[in-house]
Amino acid sequence: MEREETREFSRRLKDYLDFVFEAYRSQNKNHIIVAIGCTGGQHRSVSVCNWLNEQYRKEYKTYCFHRDAVKEDEA
């Protein structure tokens, strides 16, 4: 999340999601799934998912699940 291109990606993604979430809300929809993926599924996507969760958890009920991230003691 420190790299400039990641910060720009995050800003653009949040702008997009803000737009989508508001459109869903205006249509009285109350569930949406946002999936983030990358080649390995253990670094970039985990960071972005955690960041999104932090951005939206105060306004929405959020759930953050990392399918491919394995804790060291589970490996």
Side-chain angles (χ1 to χ4, degrees):
M1 299 303 289
E2 309 264 330
R3 299 177 73 178
E4 179 53 38
E5 60 263 11
T6 305
R7 289 193 300 270
E8 182 177 350
F9 172 81
S10 299
R11 284 190 299 269
R12 290 176 184 233
L13 179 60
K14 186 168 184 322
D15 287 346
Y16 171 73
L17 289 176
D18 288 345
F19 172 79
V20 170
F21 292 168
E22 186 54 41
Y24 266 62
R25 189 183 313 200
S26 71
Q27 296 174 17
N28 295 319
K29 295 181 180 180
N30 59 10
H31 289 86
I32 188 169
I33 295 172
V34 176
I36 306 295
C38 65
T39 305
Q42 296 182 4
H43 299 99
R44 289 165 295 208
S45 60
V46 171
S47 295
V48 171
C49 184
N50 289 340
W51 182 82
L52 286 172
N53 189 54
E54 192 62 34
Q55 296 299 305
Y56 289 107
R57 70 185 185 146
K58 292 178 184 166
E59 186 175 355
Y60 301 102
K61 183 176 181 180
T62 63
Y63 176 72
C64 190
F65 173 74
H66 305 296
R67 186 191 70 192
D68 295 332
V70 178
K71 296 177 185 172
E72 286 186 28
D73 60 342
E74 294 177 356

